[in-house]
């Protein structure tokens, strides 16, 4: 009888030492690193109208985005924005595969920064491998400590910047200098720092392979015309160190791969489309004076049918891509129009449930309300309150109210009408709030006026 076979469901991680590579795509990745990190680290320090330009102030439930102030009622805009981002990701994936993963994903960007630090402190690939194989020594300890200190500093600055989007960053900086963060600030700064340090320093390709949800479903957005990083097996095989134009089996493409795969084995789910192997192979082809492109961006169909660049471009505009683009364009236009037409004033009318309509001294009928008014602009405004819907209806309380920038206030409102002008029971009326300095800033809300039977 055969002995039972043991299938291991877990494979221990093998350390990957990606070799540094220079080339067109490596430069493009560094451009992405600089742009995304300048934006991420720099944005919280920008000022606008005397306050932080981008601030998600959860305590007062206001989101500041340059000149735009979003309130909880405006979360629909943020939801639509997220939907648009997801759609854009679908579109980009359908056209250019995992280009997001390879160039702009935070995991890639921070891994690139952490790898750069590692190279500066521990040296190039061969030096790092040798260092890791060395027995413990003072030199090894000092190099490793320096690397982890530098990683920790970048991670802490990243955590600090992240929290700076939710708490005014200048105030946070002062608190940091005196170690006087509040408990939530401590938690989020340390949590985000720890996540950055762990993901970019230790886990690296593991995050892409096992944790990233996008990696799980991105294959559903691919088709045979999506761009992928491919090895031209027709040209490359059989491998031979003296091959002319084919693969010389130098293994450079494997050594530079951050996920440790061999692209010559075909498309694999671990491939994040970073194109480091393209840069590596192109530099090898340059050295052996052969044409570039043994590994290149191409499509599954182009490889199978031998299509050229022009056919690949033509097939990029296929129905799936056109539909994604059309939908995304329509939603983006609607989003911009909705933001443009948004009235920077909000009003909720709350009837005073304690008192129904009542007759007051001069024989008039009075109803009492509470107006919850929000001035969503960053300028003060004086508003006039009007009411209509019943003959002789007028405002018996203050008809004007002044609100400071971004102020919310509850304002009592008393409406009166003469006896006999409205039917008994409930009458529908309209309450209008209009800025005195700009009649375009106005809101109208329906309400009920009750006349006692
Ligand atoms: S870098 Fe190019 S030539 Fe070298 S092993 Fe990879 S595919 Fe072959
Ligand atoms: S196979 Fe090439 S493109 Fe894919 S992850 Fe490795 S180096 Fe990047």
């Amino acid at each position: 009888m055969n002995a039972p076979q043991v299938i291991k469901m877990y494979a221990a991680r093998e350390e990957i030492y990606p070799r540094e590579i220079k080339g067109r795509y490596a430069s493009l990745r560094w451009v992405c690193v600089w742009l995304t990190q300048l934006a991420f680290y720099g944005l919280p320090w920008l000022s606008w109208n005397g306050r932080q330009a981008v601030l998600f102030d959860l305590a007062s439930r206001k989101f500041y985005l340059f000149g735009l102030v979003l309130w909880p009622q405006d979360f629909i805009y943020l939801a639509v924005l997220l939907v648009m981002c997801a759609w854009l990701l679908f579109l980009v994936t359908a056209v250019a595969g995992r280009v997001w993963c390879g160039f702009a994903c935070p995991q890639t960007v921070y891994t690139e920064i952490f790898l750069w630090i590692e190279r500066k402190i521990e040296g190039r690939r061969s030096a790092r491998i040798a260092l890791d194989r060395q027995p413990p020594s003072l030199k090894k300890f000092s190099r490793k400590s320096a690397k982890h200190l530098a990683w920790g500093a970048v991670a802490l600055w990243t955590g600090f910047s992240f929290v700076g989007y939710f708490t005014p960053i200048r105030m946070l900086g002062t608190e940091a200098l005196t170690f006087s963060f509040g408990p939530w600030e401590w938690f989020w700064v340390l949590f985000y720092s720890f996540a950055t340090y762990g993901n970019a320093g230790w886990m690296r390709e593991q995050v892409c392979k096992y944790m990233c949800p996008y990696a799980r479903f991105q294959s559903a957005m691919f088709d045979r015309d999506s761009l992928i990083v491919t090895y031209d097996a027709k040209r490359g095989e059989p491998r031979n160190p003296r091959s002319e134009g084919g693969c010389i089996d130098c293994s450079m493409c494997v050594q530079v791969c951050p996920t440790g795969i061999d692209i010559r084995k075909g498309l694999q789910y671990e491939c994040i489309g970073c194109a480091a192997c393209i840069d590596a192979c192109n530099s090898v082809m340059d050295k052996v004076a052969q044409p570039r492109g043994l590994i290149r961006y191409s499509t599954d169909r182009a490889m199978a049918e031998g299509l050229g660049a022009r056919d690949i471009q033509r097939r990029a505009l296929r129905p799936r891509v056109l539909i994604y683009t059309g939908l995304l364009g329509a939603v983006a236009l609607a989003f911009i129009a909705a933001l443009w037409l948004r009235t920077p004033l909000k009003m909720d009318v709350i009837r005073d449930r304690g008192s129904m309509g009542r007759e007051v001294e001069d024989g008039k009928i009075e109803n009492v309300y509470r107006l919850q008014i929000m001035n969503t602009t960053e300028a003060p405004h004086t508003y006039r309150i009007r009411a209509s819907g019943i003959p002789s209806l007028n405002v018996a309380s203050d008809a004007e109210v002044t609100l400071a920038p971004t102020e919310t206030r509850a304002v009592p409102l008393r409406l009166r009408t003469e006896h006999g002008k409205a039917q008994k029971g409930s009458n529908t009326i309209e309450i209008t709030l209009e800025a005195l300095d700009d009649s375009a800033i106005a809101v109208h809300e329906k309400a009920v006026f009750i006349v006692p039977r």
Side-chain angles (χ1 to χ4, degrees):
M1 204 171 95
N2 291 339
Q5 266 193 326
V6 178
I7 300 171
K8 283 195 177 169
M9 302 299 283
Y10 174 75
R13 177 183 184 238
E14 282 183 26
E15 188 66 46
I16 295 172
Y17 300 89
R19 181 187 281 274
E20 185 186 12
I21 185 68
K22 291 196 170 24
R24 187 193 299 167
Y25 295 107
S27 304
L28 185 60
R29 191 162 24 263
W30 273 107
V31 169
C32 290
V33 169
W34 276 101
L35 288 180
T36 53
Q37 297 318 290
L38 276 176
F40 175 73
Y41 293 122
L43 265 183
W45 295 97
L46 277 187
S47 293
W48 191 273
N49 284 346
R51 44 112 185 130
Q52 192 167 315
V54 179
L55 179 66
F56 303 114
D57 188 349
L58 296 177
S60 61
R61 298 194 294 166
K62 285 177 209 157
F63 286 6
Y64 298 96
L65 295 167
F66 294 91
L68 189 68
V69 185
L70 295 177
W71 299 63
Q73 292 85 342
D74 297 320
F75 275 12
I76 181 73
Y77 293 108
L78 291 179
V80 174
L81 200 59
L82 286 178
V83 169
M84 279 168 27
C85 290
W87 229 319
L88 185 63
L89 192 61
F90 295 168
L91 173 62
V92 169
T93 309
V95 174
R98 295 184 73 172
V99 70
W100 159 260
C101 298
F103 293 88
C105 169
Q107 179 62 21
T108 295
V109 166
Y110 286 104
T111 301
E112 195 75 27
I113 296 171
F114 276 47
L115 269 171
W116 179 84
I117 294 172
E118 193 167 73
R119 273 196 293 268
K120 288 290 159 211
I121 296 174
E122 292 186 358
R124 295 177 169 220
R125 182 172 188 264
S126 50
R128 293 204 308 276
I129 295 173
L131 187 71
D132 277 4
R133 287 186 184 155
Q134 274 175 23
S137 65
L138 188 62
K139 179 185 156 208
K140 184 172 178 173
F141 177 76
S142 58
R143 291 251 167 109
K144 293 278 173 195
S145 307
K147 177 180 84 173
H148 287 287
L149 275 176
W151 281 359
V154 174
L156 276 174
W157 188 252
T158 307
F160 170 79
S161 301
F162 173 74
V163 176
Y165 280 88
F166 300 91
T167 302
I169 200 160
R170 288 180 169 79
M171 189 182 91
L172 201 66
T174 313
E175 288 176 359
L177 291 176
T178 53
F179 288 97
S180 54
F181 283 162
W184 283 110
E185 288 160 348
W186 272 120
F187 174 79
W188 283 110
V189 168
L190 292 180
F191 179 82
Y192 204 84
S193 306
F194 183 72
T196 307
Y197 173 78
N199 287 348
W202 290 94
M203 298 179 68
R204 295 189 178 169
E205 82 290 346
Q206 304 279 88
V207 176
C208 310
K209 278 158 78 170
Y210 304 118
M211 292 166 66
C212 174
Y214 173 58
R216 302 271 84 79
F217 63 77
Q218 45 86 23
S219 58
M221 298 170 221
F222 272 37
D223 59 24
R224 294 194 67 209
D225 294 305
S226 303
L227 280 179
I228 46 174
V229 176
T230 51
Y231 166 68
D232 189 344
K234 280 186 197 149
R235 172 182 155 185
E237 302 293 314
R239 298 167 203 172
N240 180 345
R242 281 178 296 281
S243 165
E244 290 196 356
C247 174
I248 61 167
D249 214 7
C250 63
S251 87
M252 279 292 285
C253 51
V254 181
Q255 292 180 37
V256 297
C257 179
T259 63
I261 59 169
D262 185 345
I263 192 66
R264 294 172 300 172
K265 292 179 181 165
L267 180 64
Q268 294 145 79
Y269 84 95
E270 294 96 333
C271 175
I272 57 168
C274 69
C277 52
I278 299 183
D279 280 338
C281 193
N282 281 345
S283 71
V284 173
M285 289 296 124
D286 288 350
K287 279 189 198 131
V288 296
Q290 294 298 329
R292 292 178 159 208
L294 176 56
I295 302 177
R296 62 181 183 269
Y297 272 112
S298 186
T299 68
D300 189 30
R301 191 190 303 277
M303 293 311 269
E305 299 174 14
L307 304 180
R310 192 164 288 226
D311 286 317
I312 293 174
Q313 279 170 14
R314 197 171 45 77
R315 297 200 75 95
L317 296 176
R318 54 202 184 277
R320 166 199 286 242
V321 171
L322 294 177
I323 290 170
Y324 279 160
T325 311
L327 285 174
L328 183 62
V331 175
L333 276 179
F335 178 77
I336 293 167
L339 268 185
W340 190 261
L341 298 173
R342 176 174 163 267
T343 309
L345 170 67
K346 297 192 189 307
M347 174 177 67
D348 288 328
V349 180
I350 304 150
R351 260 195 69 84
D352 183 353
R353 293 191 182 280
S355 80
M356 303 296 278
R358 59 182 180 138
E359 199 168 320
V360 288
E361 321 81 61
D362 52 2
K364 289 184 174 173
I365 308 296
E366 181 181 273
N367 277 212
V368 180
Y369 307 82
R370 188 160 56 86
L371 304 184
Q372 189 74 18
I373 302 175
M374 288 176 231
N375 171 14
T376 64
T377 70
E378 293 194 84
H381 285 291
T382 299
Y383 306 98
R384 178 182 296 124
I385 306 168
R386 286 187 283 117
S388 58
I390 298 175
S392 86
L393 186 68
N394 62 51
V395 176
S397 49
D398 285 341
E400 287 185 7
V401 54
T402 301
L403 262 68
T406 71
E407 186 187 354
T408 303
R409 191 173 330 150
V411 176
L413 171 69
R414 284 183 288 119
L415 296 182
R416 284 182 187 173
T417 185
E418 285 168 20
H419 205 278
K421 294 283 184 186
Q423 64 181 28
K424 290 194 168 48
S426 70
N427 297 265
T428 302
I429 58 164
E430 186 175 85
I431 298 172
T432 299
L433 189 68
E434 185 182 67
L436 292 182
D437 58 342
D438 185 353
S439 60
I441 303 178
V443 285
H444 311 270
E445 285 293 330
K446 292 260 184 285
V448 168
F449 189 95
I450 294 177
V451 177
R453 292 179 191 275

